């Protein structure tokens, strides 16, 4: 898949490890810090120097249905608008898991149609590709309006079909427009 208008930003992820006989789910974090290409306090936009995620709390945080371990960096993927980021990043997990939780967002998409950065609900903007030990693979689609929306809350918290808002905050650039920021939690159950 070639870049679309939205830039997907993966912050952290954790996986629910198989339950066995235990009554509570166990979580194991997937460390993304060795793969990050942007710090949270660095701008995401050349047009807005203070467009960052510095307010996102670091360390282990309960956001949405799962705990996440937030580090100082995130993974940003490119788009037609953001051409200096990679199309994909590979993250080795090397463990069995029952469920995968993703904390992510997208830059752009929330402008009204016919603005060039508008993205129609249901548009596939990316995917996670899970590779199994036997060599087979399964894609977890990221669709605009279903899993994520623009991280700048232009649409005033319009619902998504699958993803849930897991974090809201702000930065000086968003405050100029009286907007808040948001990141979404998605999950995938291993069949």
């Amino acid at each position: 898949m070639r870049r679309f208008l939205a830039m997907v930003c993966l912050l952290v992820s954790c996986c629910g490890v198989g339950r066995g006989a235990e009554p509570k789910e166990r979580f194991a974090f997937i460390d993304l810090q060795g793969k990050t290409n942007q710090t949270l306090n660095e701008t995401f936009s050349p047009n807005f120097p203070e467009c960052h995620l510095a307010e996102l709390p670091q360390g282990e945080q309960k956001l949405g249905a799962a705990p996440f371990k937030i580090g100082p960096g995130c993974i940003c993927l490119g788009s037609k608008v953001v051409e200096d980021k990679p199309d994909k990043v590979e993250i080795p997990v090397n463990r069995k898991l029952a469920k995968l939780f993703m904390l992510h967002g997208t830059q752009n998409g929330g402008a009204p149609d016919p603005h060039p950065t508008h993205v129609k609900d249901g548009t596939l903007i990316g995917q996670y590709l899970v590779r199994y030990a036997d060599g087979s693979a399964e894609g977890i689609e990221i669709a605009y309006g279903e899993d994520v929306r623009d991280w700048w809350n232009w649409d005033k918290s319009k619902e998504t079909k699958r993803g849930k808002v897991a974090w809201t905050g702000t930065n000086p650039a968003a405050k100029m427009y009286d907007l808040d920021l948001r990141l979404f939690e998605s999950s995938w159950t291993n069949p």
Side-chain angles (χ1 to χ4, degrees), residues 43-143:
T43 187
F44 287 80
S45 170
N47 300 325
F48 298 99
E50 294 185 289
C51 179
H52 50 66
L53 284 169
E55 191 176 288
L56 181 66
Q58 293 186 32
E60 193 169 325
Q61 306 292 326
K62 174 81 164 149
L63 302 174
F68 291 90
K69 193 169 187 179
I70 312 286
C74 62
I75 298 170
C76 292
L77 300 179
S79 70
K80 290 179 183 177
V81 176
V82 180
E83 296 180 355
D84 65 336
K85 300 293 185 189
D87 287 339
K88 68 178 181 176
V89 173
E90 293 188 19
I91 304 162
V93 175
N94 299 323
R95 69 174 351 122
K96 292 182 182 180
L97 59 94
K99 195 167 194 173
L100 180 66
F101 293 89
M102 289 99 27
L103 180 65
H104 53 180
T106 186
Q107 182 176 337
N108 299 311
D113 197 13
H115 192 275
T117 63
H118 172 78
V119 177
K120 183 180 172 187
D121 281 6
T123 301
L124 181 66
I125 61 170
Q127 78 170 345
Y128 298 96
L129 185 64
V130 177
R131 294 191 192 280
Y132 296 105
D134 68 2
S136 63
E138 181 172 346
I140 306 167
E141 293 185 345
I142 307 168

